[in-house]
Amino acid sequence: MSAKKTILLTNDDGFHAPGIKALYDVFSKEHNLVVVAPEKEQSGVGHTFTFNRPLHYREAIAADPMPGYLVSGSPADCVKFAVSFLLPVRPDIIISGMNNGDNSGLSAFYSGTVAAVREGAFWGIPGFAFSVCTKAMPFVNQYADLALSIMKKILEAPHNPIDPKVYYNVNFPACDPKEMKGCRLTWQSMAFFDDRYEKIEVETHQTKEGYLVYGEKKDIEKSNAYDSRALMNNYTTITPLTFDSTAQGELPHLKWIEENC
């Protein structure tokens, strides 16, 4: 992968988050980067996008951490807006992150970080979502170096050309990179989120009360073949994903419906 790529860089932690700056500093040394990121934090927004109301943006100023554009909407908005309006040329690759907190397993469905590269796949643009466990955020710059190396290796793998409908969810473990056990290709964990809600007082709402969600993953698979377990065991996980949600295994069993409908 010797030729420079045009890379669209976004995230869900917001334009001023340290994780996106870490990726910018590393990737911009070898590629042409355009940063289009949310002006405010958009964690957990999934694939939401702005509809039936205006979207706004501004160009970064000297006080901002890097050049680019700040968008009023979600990570998916940033990709839609950049590809269809803002950028003069279509990017070769979309990078999202570095997210503060892992996006392994079912978290990928809730994640704005992962949604950004899924949106890119809708447009036929390959993408990489990078997240690091919160405890390892002090090492975000070192993991940004590893992120660049992982992207290079995937793009140089013998599946040329890369399938643009596939996007890569990469998670870095909660440890010093020196203690990392290596990289593993993994399946997406299907571990259940045991979510509950805690009542709190909220002065800004007419009811004077609100509810905060909390909880954790339950029944995590035992095998390092799954991203959540491998990440817990200090592996960096690389999970290829696609947006085709068809339950293909069910189609043969349901075929008779066509003839009896």
Side-chain angles (χ1 to χ4, degrees):
M1 192 183 68
S2 56
K4 277 193 171 186
K5 304 289 186 182
T6 297
I7 295 177
L8 169 60
L9 176 61
T10 191
N11 72 346
D12 75 1
D13 288 333
F15 192 94
H16 296 94
I20 193 171
K21 181 61 163 57
L23 290 179
Y24 177 84
D25 289 344
V26 169
F27 280 72
S28 62
K29 293 176 183 177
E30 298 188 18
H31 301 284
N32 301 316
L33 259 65
V34 181
V35 182
V36 183
E39 62 182 357
K40 298 178 181 179
E41 183 180 358
Q42 297 281 330
S43 297
V45 300
H47 211 114
T48 187
F49 68 99
T50 302
F51 186 66
N52 280 342
R53 66 184 189 275
L55 194 66
H56 307 280
Y57 83 101
R58 71 168 176 85
E59 192 166 358
I61 58 177
D64 291 318
M66 55 198 163
Y69 301 91
L70 292 77
V71 175
S72 62
S74 68
D77 277 324
C78 291
V79 175
K80 284 180 181 290
F81 189 61
V83 173
S84 65
F85 175 79
L86 194 58
L87 304 187
V89 296
R90 177 184 285 246
D92 300 307
I93 297 168
I94 294 172
I95 301 293
S96 185
M98 179 85 73
N99 190 67
N100 181 357
D102 82 87
N103 279 310
S104 66
L106 297 182
S107 297
F109 290 101
Y110 300 103
S111 167
T113 302
V114 177
V117 294
R118 186 187 304 116
E119 179 66 33
F122 291 170
W123 292 81
I125 304 171
F128 301 82
F130 294 108
S131 305
V132 60
C133 292
T134 299
K135 288 183 179 179
M137 276 302 289
F139 309 106
V140 68
N141 293 315
Q142 295 98 305
Y143 278 124
D145 287 325
L146 181 54
L148 177 60
S149 175
I150 288 172
M151 185 189 78
K152 286 181 179 179
K153 287 179 170 61
I154 290 175
L155 293 179
E156 292 169 354
H159 55 25
N160 198 18
I162 192 170
D163 186 347
K165 294 183 177 63
V166 174
Y167 48 99
Y168 299 88
N169 185 22
V170 181
N171 287 276
F172 298 111
C175 64
D176 185 319
K178 295 176 183 177
E179 300 171 357
M180 186 187 72
K181 293 181 180 178
C183 295
R184 290 191 69 100
L185 290 173
T186 51
W187 290 80
Q188 183 179 32
S189 171
M190 293 290 107
F192 172 67
F193 271 95
D194 184 26
D195 288 338
R196 286 151 282 165
Y197 287 84
E198 178 182 3
K199 184 178 179 179
I200 61 170
E201 294 183 2
V202 181
E203 292 299 324
T204 56
H205 193 269
Q206 62 183 7
T207 65
K208 304 301 181 184
E209 62 186 36
Y211 296 85
L212 284 177
V213 66
Y214 70 101
E216 57 281 324
K217 293 178 184 178
K218 296 289 187 180
D219 302 323
I220 299 175
E221 298 88 351
K222 302 297 184 183
S223 170
N224 285 330
Y226 294 88
D227 58 358
S228 291
R229 178 60 63 183
L231 194 63
M232 291 172 63
N233 289 332
N234 286 353
Y235 287 97
T236 288
T237 62
I238 305 169
T239 310
L241 302 173
T242 188
F243 53 80
D244 182 359
S245 300
T246 307
Q248 297 183 26
E250 289 298 301
L251 294 177
H253 305 296
L254 299 175
K255 186 69 176 176
W256 65 272
I257 293 178
E258 291 185 344
E259 301 169 357
N260 296 276
C261 189

